[in-house]
Amino acid sequence: MGTAEVAKLLGVSRQRVNQLSHRDDFPEPVARLAAGPVWQNADIERWARDVGRID
């Protein structure tokens, strides 16, 4: 899942995802492509639940 997909899941902007991705507790991307970082869906969903951003 790329930045746009993470933004949609969290209900924030792509710019906010970029800010969040610099947090120590934010999951590391599985790859960094020319289009940007890519994360595992499960990693982002787990993080979002742990920090109370989704149910």
Side-chain angles (χ1 to χ4, degrees):
M1 107 182 322
T3 302
E5 292 80 14
V6 175
K8 184 175 180 181
L9 174 72
L10 300 178
V12 299
S13 68
R14 292 185 323 244
Q15 292 82 4
R16 181 65 180 142
V17 172
N18 184 48
Q19 293 172 338
L20 291 170
S21 71
H22 288 92
R23 288 176 47 147
D24 290 337
D25 64 343
F26 200 81
E28 285 294 318
V30 293
R32 292 190 186 273
L33 307 177
V38 177
W39 293 272
Q40 291 260 343
N41 292 11
D43 292 345
I44 296 297
E45 290 170 357
R46 185 178 313 108
W47 176 84
R49 279 193 304 277
D50 289 349
V51 298
R53 291 192 173 266
I54 63 171
D55 295 325

